[in-house]
Amino acid sequence: MLAGFVLPVTMAANALYAQEEKPAGHGDSPANEYVFSATTLGQIEVEIPGLKPDDPVITQEEFNQAATIYFERCAGCHGVLRKGATGKPLTTDITRSNGYDYLKDFITYGSPAGMPNWGTSGELSEDQVDLMARYLLIEPPAPPEFGMADMRASWDLVVPPEDRPTKQMNDLKLDNLFSVTLRDAGQVALIDGATYEIVRVFDTGYAVHISRISASGRYLFVIGRDGKVNMIDLWMEEPSTVAEIKVGSEARSIETSKFEGFEDTYAIAGSYWPPQYVIMDGATLEPLKIVSTRGMIYDEQEYHPEPRVASIVASHFRPEFIVNVKETGKIQLVDYSDIRNLKVTEIEAERFLHDGGFDSTKRYFLVAANARNKVAVIDTKEGKLAGLVETGGLTPHPGRGANIDHPVYGPVWATSHLGDETISLIGTDPEGHPDNAWKVVQHLYGLGGGSLFIKTHPTSNHIYVDTPLNPDAEISASVAVFNVSDLTQEEPEYTVLPIGEWAGIAEGQPRVVQGEFNEEGNEIWFSVWNSKDRESAIVVVDDKTLEMKKVIKDERLITPTGKFNVYNTRADVY
């Protein structure tokens, strides 16, 4: 989910299916100190669904409080309607079968399968654990829809296009700027890649999930988990928000048109709730067309009420957006050449689609179906499925992935995994290396499970793998680095970079996440992500020497997570 950046914040996920009452090792590792996504969903006043005679007693006030906790901490993995995706379903047939005491224990103690120990970590009080166990035994509420009238009411054209500059009015080297998410502050920081100084901090939606750059490199688009979109003009004397809109109650993805002749023409944003995407004017964010993603699951051919838009990328070969729909396992190729007569090609892929990136030619898009341990490959030139790859690891989570010229297998694309230490290298050259195409040609093994992002650069000879969600504090603060030249070995070794130690942060359990290269590709930045009331930092590493080059600290760097270099993001360089 982050590039696209989704945290496994399961409420009662795999634990519900465990056989032991308290699994070995549960709740004993250091508690996660990242702060969970809050969305406006939890603030919606809902009525308790009709209670059955055997439902637990719960008041309206308690129900609203529990709904808030659920939306803040659980909906990202389990879905607003608790149908499941990355996390297991939490529908009442399952929760009632396990029962109140079972739910209470697992919410308290967690499990080794990825469920946080909410109670023993102190994240939830005993009363809150009790409340959530009761809440999960009741049918979930459906939040309100969010349609065109709601979007237009939220749309604010701060500076019309005619009042914006006709040329760049500052001295910033735009292509080497970084847009950095300040997650719990509801902000992004624009940082100069040469001076390491913060240019400006912008108020945005909560927990910005992703930043995208228009094809021209002029406009920066960011979207919060609360569905708020900011459009920032980098040409202004002081870069500023020129338009904003709210596209739903919960969201993750935004992109802009890139095909020749359509540069900066359109923007598109996808929502988790309601399950839909909206095409907007690329200069103003005016909403133009909303498309629902509700429909049939590709394999079961059963209706799903909440197929969330997980990620969106823009094709370099056609005037199309590639929209990945999580629950139905479908990829939509949305032709924006004529949005009044919209043409959508629907490709059956696999569940549950999450995030991914292009191969080195930008023709093929590879996206993780993370709960099925597969990667789907789309030929964006031909507009069809090119392959479906078993990754050999648990829960692939590539971000954008990493493109490498392998010394044996030629061009490959790599993904790491949330569930284990596996790093899978997939062949991506069907013409030059046809025997390797759309197959895992090699497995590497990193520090452990809990990886969110893998990164390299065309000028680099290294592959960087983070592990921010590993329960071991030392591992979560470190990065494994593989040398591409060593990939000829049967089991290549890696170098460990103690990024957290280099940051010099004394308190908390800072987690190191999401490497991002500068434009030149000679240094890589890592976020050292601490809790919101403690010091965080960004550590810059020299790619040639693997030595610490700079530690960026500023009181405004509150929970920094995703970082997006302007050039690498707009040109899909990874």
Side-chain angles (χ1 to χ4, degrees), residues 28-35 117 121 467-478 500 505-512 528-531 533-536:
D28 299 329
S29 56
N32 293 345
E33 291 207 72
Y34 61 86
V35 181
N117 51 315
S121 71
T467 45
L469 299 185
N470 194 284
D472 184 283
E474 184 176 354
I475 291 176
S476 68
S478 302
I505 295 174
E507 296 183 343
Q509 186 189 332
R511 299 171 183 273
V512 173
V528 183
W529 169 23
N530 213 345
S531 54
D533 57 346
R534 290 174 173 161
E535 184 179 45
S536 292

Side-chain angles (χ1 to χ4, degrees), residues 430-443:
E431 294 184 4
H433 299 77
D435 293 340
N436 301 331
W438 321 135
K439 300 175 184 176
V440 174
V441 296
Q442 187 174 13
H443 283 131

Side-chain angles (χ1 to χ4, degrees), residues 310-328:
S311 58
I312 305 174
V313 296
S315 172
H316 294 266
F317 283 81
R318 292 179 172 186
E320 290 179 338
F321 292 120
I322 303 161
V323 178
N324 301 284
V325 185
K326 187 181 286 282
E327 279 77 9
T328 56

Side-chain angles (χ1 to χ4, degrees), residues 230-546:
N230 285 65
M231 178 182 179
I232 297 165
D233 188 352
L234 301 179
W235 278 14
M236 288 184 158
E237 186 173 350
E238 185 178 56
S240 302
T241 293
V242 293
E244 56 186 43
I245 192 173
K246 189 172 172 59
V247 298
S249 298
E250 188 170 1
R252 295 294 188 276
S253 53
I254 190 160
E255 181 61 292
T256 68
S257 54
K258 293 181 178 178
F259 191 71
E260 185 178 359
F262 292 91
E263 298 92 339
D264 296 18
T265 301
Y266 295 113
I268 182 174
S271 297
Y272 269 24
W273 188 270
Q276 62 193 28
Y277 53 89
V278 56
I279 299 174
M280 300 166 283
D281 184 282
T284 67
L285 292 185
E286 179 183 6
L288 303 174
K289 182 179 281 289
I290 301 172
V291 181
S292 173
T293 54
R294 289 183 170 101
M296 300 298 179
I297 300 169
Y298 89 94
D299 50 354
E300 297 175 358
Q301 293 295 297
E302 296 291 338
Y303 178 76
H304 199 293
E306 191 193 352
R308 296 171 288 175
V309 178
S311 58
I312 305 174
V313 296
S315 172
H316 294 266
F317 283 81
R318 292 179 172 186
E320 290 179 338
F321 292 120
I322 303 161
V323 178
N324 301 284
V325 185
K326 187 181 286 282
E327 279 77 9
T328 56
K330 296 176 180 178
I331 298 170
Q332 294 188 8
L333 306 183
V334 181
D335 186 338
Y336 54 74
S337 62
D338 180 1
I339 66 170
R340 177 176 288 274
N341 301 288
L342 194 69
K343 297 181 179 66
V344 178
T345 300
E346 189 173 85
I347 298 174
E348 294 183 352
E350 185 54 280
R351 299 155 68 191
F352 298 93
L353 298 170
H354 186 55
D355 207 355
F358 290 105
D359 78 311
S360 58
T361 70
K362 301 182 178 59
R363 172 174 175 173
Y364 298 98
F365 175 70
L366 297 93
V367 58
N370 55 19
R372 295 290 177 88
N373 307 319
K374 294 181 181 179
V375 166
V377 185
I378 300 300
D379 183 341
T380 65
K381 183 177 180 180
E382 297 296 329
K384 63 182 181 181
L385 185 71
L388 202 58
V389 185
E390 294 267 5
T391 66
L394 297 175
T395 317
H397 196 288
R400 290 306 195 192
N403 286 302
I404 305 150
D405 191 5
H406 195 285
V408 176
Y409 301 109
V412 301
W413 179 89
T415 180
S416 54
H417 293 77
L418 272 170
D420 60 30
E421 73 277 17
T422 305
I423 297 129
S424 302
L425 308 186
I426 299 170
T428 60
D429 184 15
E431 294 184 4
H433 299 77
D435 293 340
N436 301 331
W438 321 135
K439 300 175 184 176
V440 174
V441 296
Q442 187 174 13
H443 283 131
L444 312 178
Y445 300 96
L447 287 165
S451 176
L452 288 176
F453 297 100
I454 184 169
K455 200 71 176 181
T456 190
H457 189 276
T459 67
S460 174
N461 199 45
H462 294 120
I463 309 164
Y464 298 81
V465 185
D466 68 14
T467 45
L469 299 185
N470 194 284
D472 184 283
E474 184 176 354
I475 291 176
S476 68
S478 302
V479 170
V481 186
F482 293 87
N483 191 308
V484 174
S485 300
D486 294 340
L487 298 185
T488 55
Q489 301 172 9
E490 185 174 345
E491 291 190 16
E493 297 183 354
Y494 54 81
T495 300
V496 178
L497 303 186
I499 303 293
E501 178 183 324
W502 288 348
I505 295 174
E507 296 183 343
Q509 186 189 332
R511 299 171 183 273
V512 173
V513 65
Q514 205 240 9
E516 174 75 339
F517 276 87
N518 63 348
E519 179 193 8
E520 189 175 345
N522 60 4
E523 61 187 35
I524 183 169
W525 297 28
F526 289 96
S527 294
V528 183
W529 169 23
N530 213 345
S531 54
K532 65 181 179 182
D533 57 346
R534 290 174 173 161
E535 184 179 45
S536 292
I538 293 173
V539 171
V540 181
V541 175
D542 187 300
D543 178 61
K544 302 302 179 188
T545 65
L546 299 183

